[in-house]
Every structure is written in C-alpha cells, then in structure tokens.
C-alpha cells in the first residue's frame, strides 16, 4: 500500500515537472515569436560614385576652385612684387652700404618666407574645406538613399564600397543619383578663413 502510494506521488511529481518544462518552452516560443525581426530587404548604393559625378559635388568643387584661384592670383601678385623689390635692391647695391643692403635683403627674405608659409597654410585650409564639403554631401546622399529605400520598402542600405558581391537588381545608385541631382542643395557653406595679412589690411 505504501509502495503504491509512493509510486503515485512520484508519478504526479514527474508529470508536474514535464508540464512545467512544457509551459516554460511554450513561453519562450511565444516570446521569440513576439520579438521576431522583420525580413531584411536590402539595397546597395555606390556613395563614392555619386559623390564623384553628381551635379551638387561638381558645383561645390567649382566654387572652391574659384576661391582657390583668387587666392593664388593674390599670392602671385605679392610674390611678383617681392621679386621687383629684390631687383631694385640689387640695382642699388652699388650705391648703398653693404650693411644697409644686407638688412634690406634679410627683410625681403623674411617677407618671402612668410608668404610661402601663408601659401601652405591656405592650401591646407582649402583641403580641410573640401573634406568638410564632401562629408556634408555624403550625408545628403545618404538621406536621399534613405528616402528612395523607404519608397521601395527597403529596410537595410549598404554602401557599394563595403560590399563584396550582390545582385545588381538591388542596386539603386542611379535612382539616388538622379534624385540627388534634382535636389540641388543650397545649404552648403563654403567659407575659407582669410589670411592674416589680408585681415590686417582691412583693419
């Protein structure tokens, strides 16, 4: 009788454990189903290509090139002026003292070195501006790619540069390029800090 009762109790415990495990597994399955991620729908965009050939990029680069051209012209004029001063000083060499000639020559050399240094600094600034503008344009391209993707029901965008292979049907580059060209962004500021000499002249 005792054995029969004990077997009944053990059987009930085993059933309870199995039932508990089943309920736990069912809970995990329901939770997993609730957290199921949406199916990935992928599009590929060649951002570097768009950045290279797009109208907004070419317009920005043309504006930077025009500013750089003006700076170069100013530096060339100042360099030519220094060259003339040196030529005049050489003509006066026979009628002025060696000490006076040396001092004037040193002054011209310092001015010339400062001009070269200024040229290097300005070119560095232009390079920084180009990088900032390209970064800004890149952000605008990504925004256009996101808009096109949303219309197509795409939920994952990949840069062509970082993709090993893909089905070309997934490539939306040309559509993004067309949209970006038509957007004609106006909020890209291209400013280059004036050189110290020019700032002093204004003051």
């Amino acid at each position: 009788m005792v054995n029969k009762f004990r077997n009944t109790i053990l059987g009930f415990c085993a059933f309870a454990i199995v039932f508990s495990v089943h309920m736990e597994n069912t809970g995990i399955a329901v939770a997993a189903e609730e957290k199921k991620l949406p199916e990935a729908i992928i599009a590929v965009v060649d951002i570097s290509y768009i950045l290279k050939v797009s109208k907004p990029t070419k317009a920005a680069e043309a504006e930077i090139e025009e500013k750089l051209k003006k700076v170069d012209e100013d530096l060339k004029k100042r360099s030519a002026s220094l060259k003339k001063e040196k030529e005049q000083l050489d003509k006066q060499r026979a009628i002025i003292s060696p000490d006076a000639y040396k001092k004037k020559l040193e002054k011209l050399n310092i001015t010339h070195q400062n001009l070269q240094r200024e040229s290097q600094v300005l070119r560095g600034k232009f390079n920084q501006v180009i990088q900032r503008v390209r970064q800004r344009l890149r952000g605008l391209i990504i925004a256009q790619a996101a808009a096109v993707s949303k219309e197509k029901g795409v939920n994952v965008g990949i840069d062509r540069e970082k993709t090993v292979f893909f089905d070309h049907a997934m490539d939306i580059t040309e559509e993004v390029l067309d949209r970006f060209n038509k957007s004609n962004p106006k909020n890209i500021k291209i400013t280059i800090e004036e050189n110290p000499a020019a700032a002093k002249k204004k003051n």
Side-chain angles (χ1 to χ4, degrees):
M1 184 69 178
V2 173
N3 289 335
K4 186 176 180 181
F5 179 73
R6 185 172 57 190
N7 290 337
T8 302
I9 293 298
L10 289 173
F12 176 77
C13 289
F15 171 76
I17 292 170
V18 170
F19 181 74
S20 176
V21 170
H22 173 72
M23 289 300 292
E24 186 177 341
N25 289 338
T26 302
I28 292 171
V30 170
E33 192 167 339
E34 287 178 355
K35 294 180 180 179
K36 186 179 179 182
L37 295 174
E39 181 182 352
I41 304 173
I42 302 170
V44 177
V45 185
D46 195 335
I47 296 174
S48 295
Y49 169 74
I50 296 174
L51 195 58
K52 182 179 179 181
V53 305
S54 67
K55 290 178 182 178
T57 300
K58 289 181 178 179
E61 288 179 347
E63 186 175 344
I64 293 171
E65 189 68 28
E66 184 63 27
K67 289 180 182 292
L68 179 59
K69 184 180 177 182
K70 289 179 180 179
V71 169
D72 275 339
E73 287 174 355
D74 177 62
L75 291 172
K76 283 177 182 178
K77 285 179 182 178
R78 290 161 64 189
S79 180
S81 178
L82 284 174
K83 187 177 180 182
K84 284 183 179 180
E85 284 187 49
K86 173 65 166 59
E87 289 172 353
Q88 290 174 355
L89 179 62
D90 287 340
K91 288 177 182 179
Q92 296 172 357
R93 188 171 187 178
I95 58 175
I96 61 175
S97 67
D99 187 53
Y101 174 81
K102 184 181 177 182
K103 286 180 179 179
K104 288 184 178 183
L105 182 61
E106 286 177 353
K107 187 177 179 181
L108 283 174
N109 285 337
I110 290 172
T111 304
H112 184 258
Q113 288 171 5
N114 289 338
L115 185 63
Q116 287 182 319
R117 194 177 298 111
E118 185 182 325
S119 176
Q120 292 173 351
V121 170
L122 283 169
R123 288 190 176 277
K125 288 179 180 178
F126 269 98
N127 288 332
Q128 290 174 4
V129 168
I130 290 170
Q131 292 304 316
R132 286 200 302 270
V133 168
R134 285 179 178 168
Q135 194 64 31
R136 174 63 178 150
L137 289 169
R138 185 181 180 87
L140 294 174
I141 291 168
I142 292 172
Q144 292 294 342
V148 172
S149 297
K150 187 177 181 181
E151 292 171 9
K152 292 180 174 292
V154 171
N155 53 21
V156 179
I158 301 176
D159 188 353
R160 172 68 182 88
E161 199 172 55
K162 299 172 183 176
T163 309
V164 179
F165 63 88
F166 62 95
D167 187 331
H168 287 283
M170 300 161 66
D171 193 336
I172 61 171
T173 300
E174 290 301 326
E175 194 168 344
V176 175
L177 173 60
D178 183 61
R179 185 81 64 93
F180 186 52
N181 282 337
K182 290 176 181 177
S183 70
N184 191 24
K186 300 287 186 182
N187 57 342
I188 301 173
K189 294 181 180 179
I190 300 174
T191 55
I192 292 90
E193 185 182 337
E194 284 190 353
N195 60 72
K200 284 180 181 178
K201 286 179 181 177
K202 288 185 177 181
N203 295 334

